[in-house]
Amino acid sequence: MTAFSSEYHVSDDEIKNTKGYNIAAVLLAVMLVALTITTVVLGSKNAYELETVPSFELAIDEGRYQDALQIYRGIQDEVLKSSPDNQTANAARIQMLDDMEGIVKERVDTICNRIISNRYVLSASDINFLDSMKELTSSVVSERLYNICEDFLLGKVEKPVVTYFFNQVQPIGNFSATANPLLRELDFIETATGDVQSAEKYLSNGDYISAVKKYTQVDSSYDGFVGEYCDKRITTIKEAMYEPMMAEGDHLIQTLKFYSAEKLFSDLAVIFPEDELIKSSLLEATSHTSEVTEYRGKIECICVRSLIADTDVAFAARYHSSNTSLYLTGKEFESILENLYERGYVLVDVEDLIDQSDPSYLLERNLKVPKGKKPLIVVIEDLQYSASAYNCGTCRRLVLNDENQVCGEYKNSAGETIVSRTAEAIGLLDVFVERHPDFTYDGAKGIISVSGHEAVFGYVVAAGELEDRNAALSAVNLPQLTNITNDDIDFARDTVTQIVNVLKDNGWKFASCTYSYIQDCRNTEKEVLVDDHTKWMDQIGSLFGEVHILVYPNGNYIYGTDDRAVYFKNRGFRIFFGGGATPYHIYGDNYLFVDRAMMSYKTLNRKAYENLFDYTQIIDPARTKNSDQAQG
């Protein structure tokens, strides 16, 4: 091949590339043509859309109702005839229909609102518009007729207003087809208003089940409008209630409130009879419940202070304090629980003994317990964690572990910080109930009484506590708290609030034992008590919410008729705890009084406690392990 010919030789790859360019050019040209056509079409369609709705509105403004209807129906026909595949065009047409319907609805609503609010009399022009726009006005007026009947049923409008509205619109065109049947039902609607409004009140309070029950009861008594309304509300409520009610039921089971869970799932099983998950949850709840009977008799109430968490600290010679006799060890408290359980006692909520619905008058309520069981109330006294008790081996504060369980935290004899659920009575009782769910009636645990002059749960939660806390720390040769900021106090308050919420969720109740833990309230002037309670409310009260229980320190109670006791009652306290070795409770003037039996090493061998436990099985051997340890 000559040099000339090789200079202009085109390779096979170059030929292929040239063909590719040609194809791309053709495709690009086709796309440009299509885009041009689409732009023209869309431009025409947009112009069409822009003209249609204003033309419709102008026709209405000028009273050319037949023209307006013709425009609306023309678009409607296009939608019906168009191919389902042409989604873009259909969407535009449907939007035009919506816009036109919106224009008519706005005008009809204005007329209807004037009739309802101002007793407006329809003009000839109004009547012509409402009558001439046929199906467009008819649908809106029909909806308003149903709405005003619903408002009447719910007590939002009076019957004369409803009647007047019907009288104005009923004679027009084909409105009578909707109005006449509803007019005939107004008396039935009026009769049902009370029950329907009761159902709605249940619903507004979050009581879905009572709302459905009430609506079902009404539905069984009425046909027509009321029956249809009830059916609609029942469907709506059932859709809204299912998930939150199931979550609530699961939580009741998790927190051992089996009797409440049984009732809840029983109600849900009626409302959702085919639901297998509800049936399964109901079975789980009922497997932990038994027959319940009313109890009339004495109610045992025991009271313990903070527990001795570390017996080495409590009873070692270098630490030993005579105050250890005021406290039980964890083993002793657990042994008491074992004895009580074996003897058929069951934890109950003291607030189940009263009806507090009326703040001015307290009603006695018969206590219910599982058949064969005896009620027991547990009080844990003064959980502030004073530094003065550290040498007794008690906890220094409450904390939450990684599983959101309340634990006690203490320093052992080696100076190590230990966190344990079983270091404190709260966790010990929680764990015991988890092992023996039948030791609690519907998840009840106990009452935690709280003072605040030094700390709450071991935390300084108010600036007013600092001086007392530092004095207590100094007395046991521990470093004082310095440079405490408002942020530190806020953090402590948040921590206590979290602990309180967990305790409440798990069946614990709270009580005041006065801010300063007044040793002898009976011989304390009213002014001092008032000032002390004011501090309790100002500094720590908001951490616990509404508190209705007052535990008198050391059992030194004030008689209910005493002006000082009346002061406490007027501040919302309805249950008062005194002190006594034998079970005793009495209903007074707007209050319940209960004696609590103080449990300490010094009192365990009282004859009055023989029905509760065997003293010889209770004493912790750690107290008398060797002769170097004091008796306690």
mmCIF file with all atom_site columns, all heavy atoms in Angstrom, residues 163-181:
data_model
loop_
_atom_site.group_PDB
_atom_site.id
_atom_site.type_symbol
_atom_site.label_atom_id
_atom_site.label_alt_id
_atom_site.label_comp_id
_atom_site.label_asym_id
_atom_site.label_entity_id
_atom_site.label_seq_id
_atom_site.pdbx_PDB_ins_code
_atom_site.Cartn_x
_atom_site.Cartn_y
_atom_site.Cartn_z
_atom_site.occupancy
_atom_site.B_iso_or_equiv
_atom_site.pdbx_formal_charge
_atom_site.auth_seq_id
_atom_site.auth_comp_id
_atom_site.auth_asym_id
_atom_site.auth_atom_id
_atom_site.pdbx_PDB_model_num
ATOM 1   N N   . THR A 1 163 ? -83.486 24.013 63.979 1.00 0.00 ? 163 THR A N   1
ATOM 2   C CA  . THR A 1 163 ? -84.793 24.087 63.309 1.00 0.00 ? 163 THR A CA  1
ATOM 3   C C   . THR A 1 163 ? -84.846 25.254 62.327 1.00 0.00 ? 163 THR A C   1
ATOM 4   O O   . THR A 1 163 ? -85.349 25.126 61.199 1.00 0.00 ? 163 THR A O   1
ATOM 5   C CB  . THR A 1 163 ? -85.913 24.219 64.360 1.00 0.00 ? 163 THR A CB  1
ATOM 6   O OG1 . THR A 1 163 ? -85.820 23.134 65.282 1.00 0.00 ? 163 THR A OG1 1
ATOM 7   C CG2 . THR A 1 163 ? -87.277 24.208 63.702 1.00 0.00 ? 163 THR A CG2 1
ATOM 8   N N   . TYR A 1 164 ? -84.314 26.401 62.736 1.00 0.00 ? 164 TYR A N   1
ATOM 9   C CA  . TYR A 1 164 ? -84.316 27.581 61.872 1.00 0.00 ? 164 TYR A CA  1
ATOM 10  C C   . TYR A 1 164 ? -83.495 27.332 60.606 1.00 0.00 ? 164 TYR A C   1
ATOM 11  O O   . TYR A 1 164 ? -83.905 27.697 59.502 1.00 0.00 ? 164 TYR A O   1
ATOM 12  C CB  . TYR A 1 164 ? -83.776 28.792 62.616 1.00 0.00 ? 164 TYR A CB  1
ATOM 13  C CG  . TYR A 1 164 ? -83.831 30.070 61.818 1.00 0.00 ? 164 TYR A CG  1
ATOM 14  C CD1 . TYR A 1 164 ? -85.014 30.788 61.700 1.00 0.00 ? 164 TYR A CD1 1
ATOM 15  C CD2 . TYR A 1 164 ? -82.711 30.535 61.136 1.00 0.00 ? 164 TYR A CD2 1
ATOM 16  C CE1 . TYR A 1 164 ? -85.081 31.944 60.941 1.00 0.00 ? 164 TYR A CE1 1
ATOM 17  C CE2 . TYR A 1 164 ? -82.758 31.684 60.380 1.00 0.00 ? 164 TYR A CE2 1
ATOM 18  C CZ  . TYR A 1 164 ? -83.953 32.393 60.286 1.00 0.00 ? 164 TYR A CZ  1
ATOM 19  O OH  . TYR A 1 164 ? -84.021 33.532 59.518 1.00 0.00 ? 164 TYR A OH  1
ATOM 20  N N   . PHE A 1 165 ? -82.342 26.697 60.766 1.00 0.00 ? 165 PHE A N   1
ATOM 21  C CA  . PHE A 1 165 ? -81.488 26.410 59.622 1.00 0.00 ? 165 PHE A CA  1
ATOM 22  C C   . PHE A 1 165 ? -82.220 25.501 58.630 1.00 0.00 ? 165 PHE A C   1
ATOM 23  O O   . PHE A 1 165 ? -82.212 25.734 57.415 1.00 0.00 ? 165 PHE A O   1
ATOM 24  C CB  . PHE A 1 165 ? -80.187 25.764 60.088 1.00 0.00 ? 165 PHE A CB  1
ATOM 25  C CG  . PHE A 1 165 ? -79.223 25.451 58.979 1.00 0.00 ? 165 PHE A CG  1
ATOM 26  C CD1 . PHE A 1 165 ? -78.538 26.454 58.332 1.00 0.00 ? 165 PHE A CD1 1
ATOM 27  C CD2 . PHE A 1 165 ? -79.002 24.139 58.565 1.00 0.00 ? 165 PHE A CD2 1
ATOM 28  C CE1 . PHE A 1 165 ? -77.649 26.184 57.305 1.00 0.00 ? 165 PHE A CE1 1
ATOM 29  C CE2 . PHE A 1 165 ? -78.126 23.852 57.543 1.00 0.00 ? 165 PHE A CE2 1
ATOM 30  C CZ  . PHE A 1 165 ? -77.447 24.881 56.909 1.00 0.00 ? 165 PHE A CZ  1
ATOM 31  N N   . PHE A 1 166 ? -82.857 24.448 59.158 1.00 0.00 ? 166 PHE A N   1
ATOM 32  C CA  . PHE A 1 166 ? -83.601 23.539 58.289 1.00 0.00 ? 166 PHE A CA  1
ATOM 33  C C   . PHE A 1 166 ? -84.739 24.268 57.574 1.00 0.00 ? 166 PHE A C   1
ATOM 34  O O   . PHE A 1 166 ? -84.976 24.052 56.387 1.00 0.00 ? 166 PHE A O   1
ATOM 35  C CB  . PHE A 1 166 ? -84.166 22.375 59.109 1.00 0.00 ? 166 PHE A CB  1
ATOM 36  C CG  . PHE A 1 166 ? -83.239 21.206 59.217 1.00 0.00 ? 166 PHE A CG  1
ATOM 37  C CD1 . PHE A 1 166 ? -82.187 21.205 60.124 1.00 0.00 ? 166 PHE A CD1 1
ATOM 38  C CD2 . PHE A 1 166 ? -83.396 20.103 58.412 1.00 0.00 ? 166 PHE A CD2 1
ATOM 39  C CE1 . PHE A 1 166 ? -81.341 20.133 60.230 1.00 0.00 ? 166 PHE A CE1 1
ATOM 40  C CE2 . PHE A 1 166 ? -82.540 19.014 58.498 1.00 0.00 ? 166 PHE A CE2 1
ATOM 41  C CZ  . PHE A 1 166 ? -81.502 19.027 59.410 1.00 0.00 ? 166 PHE A CZ  1
ATOM 42  N N   . ASN A 1 167 ? -85.436 25.132 58.300 1.00 0.00 ? 167 ASN A N   1
ATOM 43  C CA  . ASN A 1 167 ? -86.565 25.840 57.702 1.00 0.00 ? 167 ASN A CA  1
ATOM 44  C C   . ASN A 1 167 ? -86.125 26.747 56.555 1.00 0.00 ? 167 ASN A C   1
ATOM 45  O O   . ASN A 1 167 ? -86.886 26.971 55.608 1.00 0.00 ? 167 ASN A O   1
ATOM 46  C CB  . ASN A 1 167 ? -87.294 26.667 58.760 1.00 0.00 ? 167 ASN A CB  1
ATOM 47  C CG  . ASN A 1 167 ? -88.070 25.794 59.733 1.00 0.00 ? 167 ASN A CG  1
ATOM 48  O OD1 . ASN A 1 167 ? -88.379 24.638 59.422 1.00 0.00 ? 167 ASN A OD1 1
ATOM 49  N ND2 . ASN A 1 167 ? -88.370 26.334 60.907 1.00 0.00 ? 167 ASN A ND2 1
ATOM 50  N N   . GLN A 1 168 ? -84.922 27.277 56.624 1.00 0.00 ? 168 GLN A N   1
ATOM 51  C CA  . GLN A 1 168 ? -84.430 28.157 55.581 1.00 0.00 ? 168 GLN A CA  1
ATOM 52  C C   . GLN A 1 168 ? -84.035 27.398 54.315 1.00 0.00 ? 168 GLN A C   1
ATOM 53  O O   . GLN A 1 168 ? -84.333 27.826 53.203 1.00 0.00 ? 168 GLN A O   1
ATOM 54  C CB  . GLN A 1 168 ? -83.223 28.961 56.086 1.00 0.00 ? 168 GLN A CB  1
ATOM 55  C CG  . GLN A 1 168 ? -83.580 30.078 57.049 1.00 0.00 ? 168 GLN A CG  1
ATOM 56  C CD  . GLN A 1 168 ? -84.336 31.195 56.358 1.00 0.00 ? 168 GLN A CD  1
ATOM 57  O OE1 . GLN A 1 168 ? -83.869 31.772 55.384 1.00 0.00 ? 168 GLN A OE1 1
ATOM 58  N NE2 . GLN A 1 168 ? -85.529 31.496 56.856 1.00 0.00 ? 168 GLN A NE2 1
ATOM 59  N N   . VAL A 1 169 ? -83.365 26.242 54.483 1.00 0.00 ? 169 VAL A N   1
ATOM 60  C CA  . VAL A 1 169 ? -82.804 25.577 53.304 1.00 0.00 ? 169 VAL A CA  1
ATOM 61  C C   . VAL A 1 169 ? -83.676 24.440 52.776 1.00 0.00 ? 169 VAL A C   1
ATOM 62  O O   . VAL A 1 169 ? -83.569 24.071 51.596 1.00 0.00 ? 169 VAL A O   1
ATOM 63  C CB  . VAL A 1 169 ? -81.378 25.045 53.593 1.00 0.00 ? 169 VAL A CB  1
ATOM 64  C CG1 . VAL A 1 169 ? -80.457 26.167 54.000 1.00 0.00 ? 169 VAL A CG1 1
ATOM 65  C CG2 . VAL A 1 169 ? -81.386 23.948 54.647 1.00 0.00 ? 169 VAL A CG2 1
ATOM 66  N N   . GLN A 1 170 ? -84.552 23.887 53.604 1.00 0.00 ? 170 GLN A N   1
ATOM 67  C CA  . GLN A 1 170 ? -85.321 22.706 53.211 1.00 0.00 ? 170 GLN A CA  1
ATOM 68  C C   . GLN A 1 170 ? -86.208 22.911 51.975 1.00 0.00 ? 170 GLN A C   1
ATOM 69  O O   . GLN A 1 170 ? -86.315 22.021 51.127 1.00 0.00 ? 170 GLN A O   1
ATOM 70  C CB  . GLN A 1 170 ? -86.153 22.232 54.413 1.00 0.00 ? 170 GLN A CB  1
ATOM 71  C CG  . GLN A 1 170 ? -86.918 20.957 54.177 1.00 0.00 ? 170 GLN A CG  1
ATOM 72  C CD  . GLN A 1 170 ? -88.367 21.228 53.797 1.00 0.00 ? 170 GLN A CD  1
ATOM 73  O OE1 . GLN A 1 170 ? -88.834 22.361 53.938 1.00 0.00 ? 170 GLN A OE1 1
ATOM 74  N NE2 . GLN A 1 170 ? -89.054 20.205 53.309 1.00 0.00 ? 170 GLN A NE2 1
ATOM 75  N N   . PRO A 1 171 ? -86.844 24.088 51.819 1.00 0.00 ? 171 PRO A N   1
ATOM 76  C CA  . PRO A 1 171 ? -87.737 24.232 50.661 1.00 0.00 ? 171 PRO A CA  1
ATOM 77  C C   . PRO A 1 171 ? -87.013 24.380 49.327 1.00 0.00 ? 171 PRO A C   1
ATOM 78  O O   . PRO A 1 171 ? -87.658 24.340 48.273 1.00 0.00 ? 171 PRO A O   1
ATOM 79  C CB  . PRO A 1 171 ? -88.515 25.519 50.988 1.00 0.00 ? 171 PRO A CB  1
ATOM 80  C CG  . PRO A 1 171 ? -88.293 25.775 52.437 1.00 0.00 ? 171 PRO A CG  1
ATOM 81  C CD  . PRO A 1 171 ? -86.938 25.244 52.720 1.00 0.00 ? 171 PRO A CD  1
ATOM 82  N N   . ILE A 1 172 ? -85.689 24.558 49.323 1.00 0.00 ? 172 ILE A N   1
ATOM 83  C CA  . ILE A 1 172 ? -84.962 24.878 48.096 1.00 0.00 ? 172 ILE A CA  1
ATOM 84  C C   . ILE A 1 172 ? -84.634 23.603 47.321 1.00 0.00 ? 172 ILE A C   1
ATOM 85  O O   . ILE A 1 172 ? -84.060 22.658 47.869 1.00 0.00 ? 172 ILE A O   1
ATOM 86  C CB  . ILE A 1 172 ? -83.665 25.638 48.413 1.00 0.00 ? 172 ILE A CB  1
ATOM 87  C CG1 . ILE A 1 172 ? -83.981 26.923 49.171 1.00 0.00 ? 172 ILE A CG1 1
ATOM 88  C CG2 . ILE A 1 172 ? -82.890 25.939 47.139 1.00 0.00 ? 172 ILE A CG2 1
ATOM 89  C CD1 . ILE A 1 172 ? -82.766 27.634 49.689 1.00 0.00 ? 172 ILE A CD1 1
ATOM 90  N N   . GLY A 1 173 ? -84.979 23.582 46.056 1.00 0.00 ? 173 GLY A N   1
ATOM 91  C CA  . GLY A 1 173 ? -84.560 22.537 45.129 1.00 0.00 ? 173 GLY A CA  1
ATOM 92  C C   . GLY A 1 173 ? -84.674 21.143 45.698 1.00 0.00 ? 173 GLY A C   1
ATOM 93  O O   . GLY A 1 173 ? -85.689 20.755 46.267 1.00 0.00 ? 173 GLY A O   1
ATOM 94  N N   . ASN A 1 174 ? -83.595 20.367 45.525 1.00 0.00 ? 174 ASN A N   1
ATOM 95  C CA  . ASN A 1 174 ? -83.606 18.987 46.013 1.00 0.00 ? 174 ASN A CA  1
ATOM 96  C C   . ASN A 1 174 ? -82.982 18.834 47.399 1.00 0.00 ? 174 ASN A C   1
ATOM 97  O O   . ASN A 1 174 ? -82.615 17.741 47.796 1.00 0.00 ? 174 ASN A O   1
ATOM 98  C CB  . ASN A 1 174 ? -82.891 18.071 45.009 1.00 0.00 ? 174 ASN A CB  1
ATOM 99  C CG  . ASN A 1 174 ? -81.438 18.456 44.814 1.00 0.00 ? 174 ASN A CG  1
ATOM 100 O OD1 . ASN A 1 174 ? -80.970 19.457 45.355 1.00 0.00 ? 174 ASN A OD1 1
ATOM 101 N ND2 . ASN A 1 174 ? -80.721 17.670 44.019 1.00 0.00 ? 174 ASN A ND2 1
ATOM 102 N N   . PHE A 1 175 ? -82.826 19.942 48.141 1.00 0.00 ? 175 PHE A N   1
ATOM 103 C CA  . PHE A 1 175 ? -82.292 19.851 49.500 1.00 0.00 ? 175 PHE A CA  1
ATOM 104 C C   . PHE A 1 175 ? -83.216 19.039 50.400 1.00 0.00 ? 175 PHE A C   1
ATOM 105 O O   . PHE A 1 175 ? -82.784 18.451 51.389 1.00 0.00 ? 175 PHE A O   1
ATOM 106 C CB  . PHE A 1 175 ? -82.093 21.241 50.114 1.00 0.00 ? 175 PHE A CB  1
ATOM 107 C CG  . PHE A 1 175 ? -81.085 22.098 49.393 1.00 0.00 ? 175 PHE A CG  1
ATOM 108 C CD1 . PHE A 1 175 ? -80.992 23.446 49.656 1.00 0.00 ? 175 PHE A CD1 1
ATOM 109 C CD2 . PHE A 1 175 ? -80.223 21.543 48.455 1.00 0.00 ? 175 PHE A CD2 1
ATOM 110 C CE1 . PHE A 1 175 ? -80.066 24.241 48.997 1.00 0.00 ? 175 PHE A CE1 1
ATOM 111 C CE2 . PHE A 1 175 ? -79.302 22.322 47.784 1.00 0.00 ? 175 PHE A CE2 1
ATOM 112 C CZ  . PHE A 1 175 ? -79.219 23.680 48.049 1.00 0.00 ? 175 PHE A CZ  1
ATOM 113 N N   . SER A 1 176 ? -84.495 19.031 50.080 1.00 0.00 ? 176 SER A N   1
ATOM 114 C CA  . SER A 1 176 ? -85.459 18.333 50.928 1.00 0.00 ? 176 SER A CA  1
ATOM 115 C C   . SER A 1 176 ? -85.170 16.837 51.010 1.00 0.00 ? 176 SER A C   1
ATOM 116 O O   . SER A 1 176 ? -85.544 16.180 51.986 1.00 0.00 ? 176 SER A O   1
ATOM 117 C CB  . SER A 1 176 ? -86.879 18.556 50.408 1.00 0.00 ? 176 SER A CB  1
ATOM 118 O OG  . SER A 1 176 ? -87.002 18.089 49.070 1.00 0.00 ? 176 SER A OG  1
ATOM 119 N N   . ALA A 1 177 ? -84.507 16.297 49.983 1.00 0.00 ? 177 ALA A N   1
ATOM 120 C CA  . ALA A 1 177 ? -84.188 14.865 50.000 1.00 0.00 ? 177 ALA A CA  1
ATOM 121 C C   . ALA A 1 177 ? -83.294 14.516 51.189 1.00 0.00 ? 177 ALA A C   1
ATOM 122 O O   . ALA A 1 177 ? -83.382 13.420 51.750 1.00 0.00 ? 177 ALA A O   1
ATOM 123 C CB  . ALA A 1 177 ? -83.502 14.468 48.695 1.00 0.00 ? 177 ALA A CB  1
ATOM 124 N N   . THR A 1 178 ? -82.428 15.441 51.567 1.00 0.00 ? 178 THR A N   1
ATOM 125 C CA  . THR A 1 178 ? -81.585 15.245 52.754 1.00 0.00 ? 178 THR A CA  1
ATOM 126 C C   . THR A 1 178 ? -82.255 15.800 54.002 1.00 0.00 ? 178 THR A C   1
ATOM 127 O O   . THR A 1 178 ? -82.222 15.189 55.070 1.00 0.00 ? 178 THR A O   1
ATOM 128 C CB  . THR A 1 178 ? -80.226 15.941 52.565 1.00 0.00 ? 178 THR A CB  1
ATOM 129 O OG1 . THR A 1 178 ? -79.577 15.404 51.415 1.00 0.00 ? 178 THR A OG1 1
ATOM 130 C CG2 . THR A 1 178 ? -79.332 15.746 53.781 1.00 0.00 ? 178 THR A CG2 1
ATOM 131 N N   . ALA A 1 179 ? -82.886 16.962 53.878 1.00 0.00 ? 179 ALA A N   1
ATOM 132 C CA  . ALA A 1 179 ? -83.414 17.664 55.048 1.00 0.00 ? 179 ALA A CA  1
ATOM 133 C C   . ALA A 1 179 ? -84.602 16.956 55.683 1.00 0.00 ? 179 ALA A C   1
ATOM 134 O O   . ALA A 1 179 ? -84.692 16.861 56.917 1.00 0.00 ? 179 ALA A O   1
ATOM 135 C CB  . ALA A 1 179 ? -83.794 19.088 54.658 1.00 0.00 ? 179 ALA A CB  1
ATOM 136 N N   . ASN A 1 180 ? -85.536 16.449 54.896 1.00 0.00 ? 180 ASN A N   1
ATOM 137 C CA  . ASN A 1 180 ? -86.767 15.885 55.454 1.00 0.00 ? 180 ASN A CA  1
ATOM 138 C C   . ASN A 1 180 ? -86.521 14.687 56.379 1.00 0.00 ? 180 ASN A C   1
ATOM 139 O O   . ASN A 1 180 ? -87.077 14.636 57.477 1.00 0.00 ? 180 ASN A O   1
ATOM 140 C CB  . ASN A 1 180 ? -87.736 15.511 54.327 1.00 0.00 ? 180 ASN A CB  1
ATOM 141 C CG  . ASN A 1 180 ? -88.354 16.739 53.684 1.00 0.00 ? 180 ASN A CG  1
ATOM 142 O OD1 . ASN A 1 180 ? -88.345 17.829 54.259 1.00 0.00 ? 180 ASN A OD1 1
ATOM 143 N ND2 . ASN A 1 180 ? -88.873 16.583 52.465 1.00 0.00 ? 180 ASN A ND2 1
ATOM 144 N N   . PRO A 1 181 ? -85.692 13.718 55.983 1.00 0.00 ? 181 PRO A N   1
ATOM 145 C CA  . PRO A 1 181 ? -85.421 12.601 56.910 1.00 0.00 ? 181 PRO A CA  1
ATOM 146 C C   . PRO A 1 181 ? -84.760 13.068 58.207 1.00 0.00 ? 181 PRO A C   1
ATOM 147 O O   . PRO A 1 181 ? -85.067 12.559 59.288 1.00 0.00 ? 181 PRO A O   1
ATOM 148 C CB  . PRO A 1 181 ? -84.486 11.688 56.106 1.00 0.00 ? 181 PRO A CB  1
ATOM 149 C CG  . PRO A 1 181 ? -84.746 12.031 54.687 1.00 0.00 ? 181 PRO A CG  1
ATOM 150 C CD  . PRO A 1 181 ? -85.061 13.488 54.662 1.00 0.00 ? 181 PRO A CD  1
#
